[in-house]
Structures are given as structure tokens and as C-alpha cells.
């Protein structure tokens, strides 16, 4: 088996909203990469020993006082460097070029035109000397450094790509990592494979082999407990760990009363009956409802739910002899976002239940076999491990479950109503063929009552909102244009079949300005 971490790309983050996308594009080229803040110590970079470095975009201007920069020695490491947007401007300024405010800022689609012979970075990128790209910049390179040549430009910005081929230094003003640049993934693949010389060892099969070996080495003969939620991440983690150590794994499935309809039985059938995994089912609905009583603040609800999970795990771990490890389905975006919150380089939008360690009193070590993986990679290895396609590819479900899809206070009545409405919605999306076209769909319970008429009587019942979005990266999202006839059928079924609902609305907000989840 190859060493899947031997060939690697370092991505330095200057604050771009798209930096995680750069990492995902590198991984899609089957090359391992890590994302770190731009001011990472040079000694750490040398220890990491990257095959290449990518400098991300960012919101600052390179000529501002205190603008983010990299150590002078970075460009002396002798490894290829690709600068994107701010990264290109930083590289230009470093080597004596000039960066100035653009006379006309450029945001959105643009037509990029090749200049001369662009070379290896742009192999296959241009068709008849042109390519569509996505721009987002207010500054531009006015004078190219002496050792560089212009590789491409637009009608508005003559310098949109520069290169010093002799030193393997490249810069692009556009964003190849976003889906709006149709051949952007090819450019990034050209950089990591053709220029950096990586051969593509980061594949699902190799990742599984490496993870199995690491789990066995890390755990030895100890017992492991895992919090199984039925979500993609914890399910794949359970299947992976079980393949590595078999009966040394015990899953604790907390049936918290905040799950979807029939989900508890489905989890038990998949893991306990079909895969032969030891699963302890803890009936804890009332404990969670009691803990949430009277609380309507979304962040406080998250903390209550997360804290009670930890308490239950502690109780169950005491019953499992030699349980020294708690396994979690932490994935790479959780790690990145938590690190950003700690360093102040990113806003902490909401707390994450998988990151932040365990209380000091809980004497368990953490086992996180998916910690290096993005969600799409987790899904790929889940399929490779033989998990059901519907489980692996189902839409994201929040860690706090229905607790944050019920606006305000959580009550059993609300949970039961929402469960039934959501089940009808998802069933209809599957039967109509929409489910796999949608990135995330769910129902939201609104704790307000509206007047309605059923039969000969007036009703005064609750409202359910339906949400469905399309997105590639979950950083931006557009609402899904559901056909009217399908919306009418779904609404009719929910109102007729779910007692307590007399009004259904469809959310047509995009992200931004709205978020995907309501809380």
C-alpha cells in the first residue's frame, strides 16, 4: 500500500470564503492536502515538506498596512507555488511587481484569453484561446515582476495569469476552485499532478487501508465506544472501525426523541442486524425533552443537547469494561472551522458537537478516523465499505436533530408533528425523482398558529415550512425550483395526514442572505 500522506499540498489561507473549495479540488485530483493559516511558522512548513503550495485569495489589499503576508523564505523552498487572487498579488509584489486598485472592479463571469503559450498549468484549459472564469477582485497587477510573463488576461484586466516557469511559480487572478469556473478543477489538477509531480495516491481504497492500519495500531486490544446517530459521518466511522477491530467496538445509539420518523429502528437494522455491530440503544427521549423545556435560544439548545449526549456516553462507558476510547465522526471541515474560531481568523457561526474535546472528568481518549476527510470523501468510502446507498447519500441532518428544526421551545407534540410532515416530504421527493437532484431538503416546524378551514369547521393550527436547496459546497445555496404540481401534492398530503397542521409554506430564500437551516 502506498503512503497516502507522502505526496501532499499545503494550502495557506488568507481569509477567502473559498479556501475549503481549493482543498476539495486538490483532493478530487486524488492528492492529499492540508489547509493552514497564512502565518504558519516556516519550521512547520519545512517539517510538512509539501510537494507544492497554494496561496488562497483573501479580502485584504496587499498594499495596506499590516496586510497578511508570508515569510520571505517561502519562495526559496524550491517547491511549486500557485497564488490565487490575493495569492497572485502577494507573489507579484514580493518579486517586485506592482499591485494597484483596479479602475473597474471585476466580479462574476469573465472571458479569459490566453497570451502566448500558457504552458503546463493551462493544459486543456483553453478552447480556441478562451475560457470562462469567475472573477472577484478590486485590485490588479499593474506591472508584472521582471522574471514573470503574462499567461492570460481579460478585456478588463490584461494581467489575469502570470508565471515564472523556470521556478515553477504561478498566479491566477480568477478563482479556479469555484464551480463558476467550468474548467477550474482541471487547472488545479494540472498544478498538483503535472507541475508538483503528485501521482494521485489519495483514493477511497487506499484511504480505507490506511485508516484500518492506523485504527488497529492506535487502539490495540482496547475497547472503543462510538456515538452512533445514524448520520453519514457516524455511520461511516462505525463501519470503518468495526472492519478494523470487530467486537472491540460498541456503538451507543442515543434515541433522543429528536430523530426522524422510524430512524431508530432503521439504525438498529442496518448496524446490529445486517453488519453485526454491537449497538446499545438508549431510550432517552424524556431526558432530552426535560432538559430542553422552556429553552428557545438556538445556541443554548445545541449546548444542552451536546452536553446531555456527553453525560449519557459517560454513563454507558462505565458499563463497558476496558472502554478507553470514544470514537467520533469528526470530519475535516469541523476541524478547520473550529480552528478558525479559536484563532480568530473565522467567525464561529454555531458550535459543533464533534469538536472541542471531552470534559476532563471523562477518562476516554478520542478516536477520529474521518478527521482528515471532506464529506464527499466520507460518502465515497462509505459506499466502498458497503453501507446502503440511501444512508450514505442522504441529505445532511444536524447533530442536534429536530431540536434546531423546531423554532423556539422543543416539545414532544412539536417533534411528533414535524416527524410525520418531514417523512411525507422526503417520501414524495424520492417518488418524484427530486431527492437526488436536491442537496438538502427538510421540513421546519413554526410554533405559530394560523386560521384555516377543514370541512365545515374553522381550524387554528400550526405551520410547517419546507426547505430545499441546490448547492455544490454548502457555502452558497439557491432554493430548489420545485414544480407547482409537486408542491401542491406534498402540501395536500401533509395537511390531510398530519393532525395539527393546516398551512404549508415553501422557503424560497437563498444563502446568502439566509442560511440553509432556520436555526
Amino acid at each position: 500500500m502506498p503512503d497516502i500522506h507522502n505526496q501532499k499540498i499545503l494550502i495557506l489561507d488568507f481569509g477567502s470564503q473559498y479556501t475549503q473549495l481549493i482543498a476539495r479540488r486538490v483532493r478530487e485530483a486524488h492528492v492529499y492536502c492540508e489547509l493552514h493559516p497564512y502565518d504558519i511558522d516556516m519550521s512547520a512548513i519545512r517539517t510538512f515538506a509539501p510537494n507544492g503550495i497554494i496561496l488562497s485569495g483573501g479580502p485584504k489589499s496587499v498594499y495596506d498596512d499590516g496586510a497578511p503576508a508570508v515569510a520571505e523564505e517561502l519562495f526559496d523552498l524550491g517547491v511549486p507555488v500557485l497564488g490565487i487572487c490575493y495569492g497572485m498579488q502577494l507573489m507579484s509584489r514580493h518579486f517586485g511587481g506592482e499591485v494597484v486598485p483596479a479602475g473597474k472592479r471585476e466580479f462574476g463571469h469573465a472571458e479569459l484569453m490566453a497570451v502566448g503559450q500558457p504552458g503546463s498549468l493551462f493544459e486543456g484549459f483553453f478552447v480556441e484561446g478562451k475560457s470562462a472564469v469567475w472573477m472577484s477582485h478590486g485590485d490588479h497587477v499593474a506591472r508584472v515582476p521582471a522574471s514573470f510573463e503574462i499567461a492570460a488576461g481579460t478585456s478588463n484586466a490584461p494581467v489575469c495569469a502570470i508565471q515564472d516557469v523556470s521556478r515553477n511559480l504561478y498566479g491566477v487572478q480568477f478563482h479556479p476552485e469555484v464551480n463558476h469556473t467550468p474548467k477550474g478543477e482541471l487547472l488545479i489538477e494540472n498544478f498538483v499532478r503535472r507541475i508538483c509531480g503528485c501521482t494521485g495516491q489519495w483514493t477511497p481504497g487506499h484511504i480505507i487501508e490506511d485508516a484500518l492500519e492506523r485504527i488497529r495500531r492506535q487502539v490495540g486490544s482496547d475497547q472503543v465506544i462510538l456515538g452512533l446517530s445514524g448520520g453519514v459521518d457516524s455511520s461511516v466511522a462505525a463501519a470503518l472501525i468495526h472492519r478494523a477491530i470487530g467486537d472491540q467496538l460498541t456503538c451507543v445509539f442515543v434515541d433522543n426523541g429528536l430523530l426522524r420518523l422510524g430512524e431508530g429502528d432503521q439504525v438498529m437494522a442496518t448496524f446490529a442486524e445486517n453488519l453485526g455491530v454491537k449497538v446499545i440503544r438508549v431510550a432517552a427521549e424524556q431526558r432530552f425533552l426535560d432538559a430542553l423545556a422552556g429553552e428557545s435560544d438556538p445556541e443554548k439548545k445545541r449546548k444542552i443537547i451536546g452536553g446531555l449526549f456527553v453525560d449519557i456516553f459517560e454513563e454507558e462507558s462505565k458499563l463497558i469494561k476496558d472502554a478507553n476510547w470514544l470514537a467520533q465522526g469528526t470530519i475535516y471541515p469541523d476541524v478547520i472551522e473550529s480552528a478558525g474560531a479559536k484563532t480568530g481568523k473565522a467567525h464561529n457561526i454555531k458550535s459543533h458537537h464533534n469538536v472541542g474535546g471531552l470534559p476532563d472528568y471523562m477518562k476516554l481518549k478520542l478516536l477520529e478516523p474521518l478527521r482528515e476527510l471532506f464529506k464527499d470523501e466520507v460518502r465515497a468510502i462509505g459506499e466502498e465499505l458497503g453501507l446502503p446507498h440511501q444512508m450514505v447519500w442522504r441529505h445532511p441532518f444536524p447533530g442536534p436533530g429536530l431540536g434546531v428544526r423546531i423554532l423556539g421551545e422543543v416539545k414532544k407534540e412539536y417533534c411528533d408533528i414535524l416527524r410525520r410532515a418531514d417523512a411525507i416530504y422526503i417520501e414524495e421527493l424520492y417518488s418524484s425523482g427530486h431527492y437526488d437532484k436536491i442537496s438538502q431538503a427538510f421540513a421546519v416546524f413554526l410554533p405559530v398558529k394560523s386560521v384555516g378551514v377543514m370541512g365545515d369547521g374553522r381550524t387554528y393550527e400550526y405551520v410547517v415550512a419546507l426547505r430545499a436547496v441546490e448547492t455544490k459546497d454548502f457555502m452558497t445555496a439557491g432554493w430548489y425550483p420545485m414544480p407547482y404540481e409537486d408542491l401542491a401534492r406534498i402540501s395536500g398530503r401533509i395537511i390531510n395526514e398530519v393532525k395539527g397542521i393546516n398551512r404549508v409554506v415553501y422557503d424560497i430564500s437563498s444563502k446568502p442572505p439566509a442560511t440553509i437551516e432556520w436555526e
Side-chain angles (χ1 to χ4, degrees):
M1 184 189 74
D3 180 355
I4 60 175
H5 299 90
N6 186 44
Q7 298 178 347
K8 48 190 178 286
I9 301 296
L10 173 65
I11 301 167
L12 297 184
D13 181 16
F14 288 88
S16 169
Q17 61 179 317
Y18 303 129
T19 306
Q20 283 195 36
L21 292 183
I22 301 173
R24 289 181 62 188
R25 299 295 171 258
V26 173
R27 298 285 186 87
E28 287 167 5
H30 302 302
V31 177
Y32 179 68
C33 64
E34 288 187 14
L35 197 161
H36 290 277
Y38 69 87
D39 55 359
I40 181 176
D41 191 79
M42 276 302 301
S43 62
I45 294 177
R46 291 191 182 94
T47 300
F48 185 68
N51 293 71
I53 297 172
I54 298 178
L55 310 178
S56 85
K60 303 288 187 180
S61 294
V62 294
Y63 46 77
D64 288 344
D65 290 338
V70 295
E72 296 284 325
E73 312 96 278
L74 182 80
F75 296 105
D76 298 327
L77 292 174
V79 301
V81 180
L82 170 63
I84 296 174
C85 203
Y86 183 92
M88 167 177 156
Q89 297 164 11
L90 182 71
M91 184 186 298
S92 299
R93 189 174 172 89
H94 175 86
F95 286 102
E98 183 181 7
V99 179
V100 299
K104 181 181 179 182
R105 297 189 301 171
E106 200 166 20
F107 295 96
H109 293 283
E111 185 176 64
L112 188 73
M113 294 166 284
V115 176
Q117 299 296 323
S120 298
L121 183 66
F122 294 95
E123 186 73 33
F125 188 78
F126 292 105
V127 177
E128 297 181 351
K130 299 177 181 180
S131 190
V133 297
W134 180 261
M135 293 289 196
S136 180
H137 67 99
D139 298 332
H140 68 179
V141 176
R143 188 180 72 251
V144 179
S147 60
F148 285 73
E149 62 180 358
I150 300 173
T154 69
S155 57
N156 186 51
V159 183
C160 272
I162 61 174
Q163 57 189 11
D164 181 342
V165 177
S166 64
R167 288 189 288 180
N168 277 327
L169 302 176
Y170 303 85
V172 294
Q173 185 61 69
F174 57 92
H175 286 277
E177 68 273 27
V178 302
N179 290 298
H180 299 301
T181 299
K183 290 191 174 182
E185 75 281 356
L186 177 61
L187 184 145
I188 291 177
E189 182 175 348
N190 284 341
F191 178 71
V192 301
R193 301 287 288 267
R194 292 175 179 271
I195 294 170
C196 298
C198 299
T199 56
Q201 300 171 351
W202 188 258
T203 64
H206 290 158
I207 292 169
I208 290 172
E209 289 180 47
D210 179 79
L212 295 177
E213 183 180 323
R214 283 193 292 159
I215 291 167
R216 290 167 185 147
R217 185 171 61 246
Q218 194 173 358
V219 171
S221 60
D222 290 345
Q223 295 290 315
V224 177
I225 60 173
L226 179 144
L228 186 61
S229 68
V232 176
D233 302 334
S234 70
S235 297
V236 174
L240 186 62
I241 296 169
H242 183 256
R243 178 171 292 190
I245 60 173
D247 286 346
Q248 290 172 242
L249 171 68
T250 301
C251 291
V252 177
F253 170 51
V254 179
D255 197 341
N256 60 8
L258 305 175
L259 303 174
R260 287 167 286 198
L261 190 67
E263 188 165 20
D265 293 338
Q266 180 188 37
V267 168
M268 295 302 293
T270 298
F271 286 93
E273 296 169 25
N274 295 337
L275 295 180
V277 179
K278 287 191 295 185
V279 183
I280 297 172
R281 186 173 185 173
V282 182
E285 178 184 47
Q286 197 57 52
R287 289 181 64 177
F288 278 87
L289 290 174
D290 290 345
L292 290 165
E295 185 55 68
S296 60
D297 180 80
E299 185 65 10
K300 289 180 181 177
K301 288 195 292 184
R302 281 188 175 84
K303 290 180 178 178
I304 289 169
I305 294 167
L308 188 50
F309 264 114
V310 171
D311 291 343
I312 292 172
F313 282 133
E314 183 192 19
E315 293 167 10
E316 296 301 324
S317 68
K318 291 177 179 177
L319 305 177
I320 302 171
K321 187 178 180 181
D322 300 324
N324 294 321
W325 297 87
L326 174 64
Q328 291 190 155
T330 308
I331 62 175
Y332 197 41
D334 304 334
V335 177
I336 294 169
E337 289 158 14
S338 293
K342 290 175 184 175
T343 61
K345 290 184 172 65
H347 292 291
N348 188 16
I349 305 300
K350 57 189 178 184
S351 62
H352 195 281
H353 62 288
N354 266 356
V355 182
L358 297 169
D360 291 337
Y361 62 79
M362 197 168 182
K363 305 301 181 183
L364 292 174
K365 294 173 283 187
L366 279 177
L367 179 64
E368 299 172 311
L370 310 180
R371 189 179 177 86
E372 294 179 336
L373 305 180
F374 286 100
K375 178 73 79 173
D376 50 345
E377 296 173 312
V378 172
R379 294 188 196 278
I381 70 168
E383 285 208 304
E384 190 101 354
L385 289 166
L387 287 176
H389 177 85
Q390 190 168 325
M391 172 176 282
V392 171
W393 289 99
R394 76 176 189 174
H395 296 168
F397 187 63
L402 301 184
V404 290
R405 288 184 176 170
I406 294 170
L407 301 196
E409 184 180 5
V410 178
K411 298 180 180 180
K412 179 171 172 51
E413 175 195 4
Y414 299 167
C415 291
D416 291 340
I417 290 172
L418 180 57
R419 252 189 289 274
R420 292 195 293 272
D422 188 76
I424 291 170
Y425 183 31
I426 299 304
E427 178 187 318
E428 286 291 335
L429 292 182
Y430 271 117
S431 63
S432 60
H434 290 297
Y435 189 87
D436 288 334
K437 300 175 184 177
I438 296 170
S439 304
Q440 189 169 1
F442 54 92
V444 180
F445 179 87
L446 308 183
V448 293
K449 288 187 174 182
S450 68
V451 175
V453 177
M454 289 187 180
D456 296 323
R458 183 178 292 266
T459 63
Y460 191 57
E461 295 178 331
Y462 294 108
V463 182
V464 160
L466 305 181
R467 182 76 158 137
V469 299
E470 296 176 296
T471 179
K472 293 287 187 179
D473 50 39
F474 289 89
M475 297 176 185
T476 61
W479 60 276
Y480 183 75
M482 192 84 69
Y484 293 149
E485 59 271 22
D486 293 328
L487 281 174
R489 186 176 62 257
I490 294 166
S491 174
R493 280 198 61 192
I494 290 174
I495 291 172
N496 288 326
E497 297 177 30
V498 182
K499 186 178 180 180
I501 297 293
N502 70 355
R503 192 176 299 270
V504 175
V505 299
Y506 191 60
D507 184 349
I508 58 169
S509 312
S510 294
K511 176 188 179 182
T515 54
I516 295 175
E517 297 281 356
W518 279 46
E519 282 196 343

